Amino acid sequence: MTEVSSLTGRLLVATPALADPNFDRAVVLLLDHDEEGSLGVVLNRPTPVDVGDILQGWADLAGEPGVVFQGGPVSLDSALGLAVIPGGTAGDRAPLGWRRVHGAIGLVDLEAPPELLASALGSLRIFAGYAGWGPGQLEDELVEGAWYVVESEPGDVSSPAPERLWREVLRRQRGELAMVATYPDDPSLN
């Protein structure tokens, strides 16, 4: 078996050729990626459900828009909290109830009292469900050209305009990849 180079903390940006409607123009932050598979959350799928409707204690800490995001098609009845700790670098001590994923981005223990993290959080997003891939599945999709792999930025997690995130992430890339941001929503109308 070939060794898997970890993509944890990177973004998967759906290519226009990706046919799965669950991931149409999706931007996925990979939270875990190794030889056993991959797990991530879709950053740009807000739902109409307010965070306070399902996790009252966390509502005041959630960034705008203060809604739950659909993190992916797996386990929609579970919630994940993702937060950015300002100035969170690899050497800093992580606050209780927060586990670093990459740089300043980390997972929040939603069972912990929100007050424990309130002073440390810069932004918080709540996701219902996640995106998951079995061993080798994501690598196969990458070979097929379904995803662009790009670097994440802490602001991606808390974008106040998630509907524009796909284009914004592509636009900041160099070369031809930036041009993909101009690809029409429906090429048949072109």
Side-chain angles (χ1 to χ4, degrees), residues 163-182:
E163 68 281 354
R164 295 195 312 250
L165 189 60
W166 185 83
R167 288 190 195 283
E168 288 172 356
V169 168
L170 287 171
R171 201 170 286 126
R172 73 178 183 231
Q173 305 308 309
R174 296 175 183 226
E176 292 180 22
L177 196 50
M179 293 298 295
V180 177
T182 64

Side-chain angles (χ1 to χ4, degrees), residues 113-140:
E115 310 79 57
L116 192 65
L117 284 162
S119 64
L121 295 184
S123 63
L124 170 71
R125 279 275 158 83
I126 303 295
F127 297 90
Y130 63 91
W133 294 264
Q137 185 180 3
L138 178 57
E139 288 74 17
D140 290 345

Side-chain angles (χ1 to χ4, degrees), residues 11 27-31 39-47 49-51 54-55 58 62-63 65-84 105-108 110 123-131 154-159 162 165:
L11 295 177
V27 177
V28 177
L29 175 66
L30 283 174
L31 304 176
L39 180 138
V41 290
V42 179
L43 298 177
N44 58 336
R45 293 283 191 275
T47 72
V49 178
D50 288 331
V51 171
I54 61 164
L55 292 168
W58 293 99
V67 298
V68 176
F69 281 65
Q70 184 176 340
V74 182
S75 292
L76 291 172
D77 58 346
S78 66
L80 284 170
L82 201 56
V84 174
I105 302 167
L107 288 165
V108 173
L110 296 174
S123 63
L124 170 71
R125 279 275 158 83
I126 303 295
F127 297 90
Y130 63 91
D156 296 334
V157 172
S158 57
S159 173
L165 189 60

Side-chain angles (χ1 to χ4, degrees), residues 55-67:
L55 292 168
Q56 181 59 45
W58 293 99
D60 292 339
L61 299 175
E64 289 299 320
V67 298

